[in-house]
Amino acid sequence: MINLQPYADPAYFILLLGTLLPAMIGLYFGKRLRTYEALWTVAFLVLTFGGVKWHQGVALLGYVIFQLLLIMGYQRYRRKGNRTGVFVVVVVLSILPLVAVKVAPVLASHRLSLLGFLGISYLTFKTVQVLMELRDGTLTEVGIVAFLRFLLFFPTVSSGPIDRFRRFQADEQRVLDRATYLSLVDHGIQLLFKGLVYKFILGYLFGTLWLPRIAHAALVSRHAFYGTGLSWHLIAYMYVYSMYLFFDFAGYSAIAIGVSYLLGIKTPDNFRAPFAAHNIKEFWNRWHMSLSFWFRDFIFMRLTFFLMKKRLIKNRIRVSQVAYLANFLIMGFWHGVTWYYIVYGLFHATAIILNDYWLRYKKAHPQLITHSAVTEGVGIFITFNTVCFSFLIFSGFLNTLWFH
């Protein structure tokens, strides 16, 4: 059996877009072919997780059944009670497969690693979101078919963006008029071409052609600067890796969103000129937005509310600082249980806390710093270099440079 890697080669796009035509024709005539879309999704899941990756397919199937049982069970319980303890247990159970997969490399556990499959993180974020909104009452009823359509929406299965259930369902159930759908198709095609240029041209230049050469040069010169490994090659690696990370991921996201548009689903944007951000907080409102907003809404805000409600910390500034630390520490662990991912998370938490101090200082002393093109440029420059340095940490290259 042929295995497909999502958005990895021209053959994939030909097969993807060719098989989408019936669904697109249906939408053009104002009708969503739900049965065809369901069969199309199943077929692509089999092609992606079948063959030599059959173990991932089994893991995905077991995972979906497990999460579906949790959602349906909690929904049924929610009609009768609302105990916090039950909710916490259900959420912990929901994230348990993801935690097991993340700690598997640390424990060198082959059995735990068998639970993993491409996209487990993003499916977990979707499930936890639904559970939390059921708890809040913003969702009152989630049908089995509706949940499966949302969870397994194929364009975004492997790497997002992370949609919200109510927003997705509104698009999925809406009957589009022809002009509106053609506008979506036009925008979707533009996103597809943008994503192809980002991922397969710019991402290839930075990631395949330049990055390995610069990494080799940095390793060769690792004894520069009195044995610290610091060299101009390392600085070049920092910038080139940052560009590769952006163009590869932003390109993938643009392609996934473009395909979603062809299906009449306005999947939210994931990147909005992040390197033009004036400060680190604004950066996180522009970079991997669906993830950062998910963390903001379901970790940062809820932890802030909990700390204030329980009056565990009285100072509001300290509350936000603790919430930032927890938020980004969890984000670091989500990427992987290694020192550089954890330091990456703590680095961004520290940067945002320092940025908040600076913003409060500017607000208290407006006469000291006036807004101008120069100060705006300085802010963008500092933010860009701060982010690039954090990506150097994130890359794990320092681990290779210093410890191998």
Side-chain angles (χ1 to χ4, degrees), residues 193-204 246-248 250-251:
F193 278 104
K194 176 183 177 180
L196 290 170
V197 170
Y198 271 25
K199 184 171 177 62
F200 295 106
I201 297 179
L202 296 174
Y204 176 79
F246 168 70
F247 285 118
D248 183 72

Side-chain angles (χ1 to χ4, degrees), residues 196-248:
L196 290 170
V197 170
Y198 271 25
K199 184 171 177 62
F200 295 106
I201 297 179
L202 296 174
Y204 176 79
L205 287 174
F206 284 103
T208 303
L209 291 185
W210 297 337
L211 196 63
R213 298 176 185 178
I214 295 171
H216 176 72
L219 288 169
V220 169
S221 62
R222 73 170 74 193
H223 297 299
F225 285 77
Y226 306 102
T228 63
L230 298 176
S231 68
W232 291 113
H233 295 111
L234 182 60
I235 295 173
Y237 182 94
M238 178 180 79
Y239 290 119
V240 171
Y241 177 79
S242 298
M243 294 302 102
Y244 159 69
L245 188 64
F246 168 70
F247 285 118
D248 183 72

Side-chain angles (χ1 to χ4, degrees), residues 119-135:
I120 186 173
S121 293
Y122 297 94
L123 268 59
T124 301
F125 291 141
K126 285 183 175 182
T127 304
V128 171
Q129 173 220 139
V130 170
L131 286 170
M132 289 190 171
E133 292 190 339
L134 283 171
R135 158 77 172 184

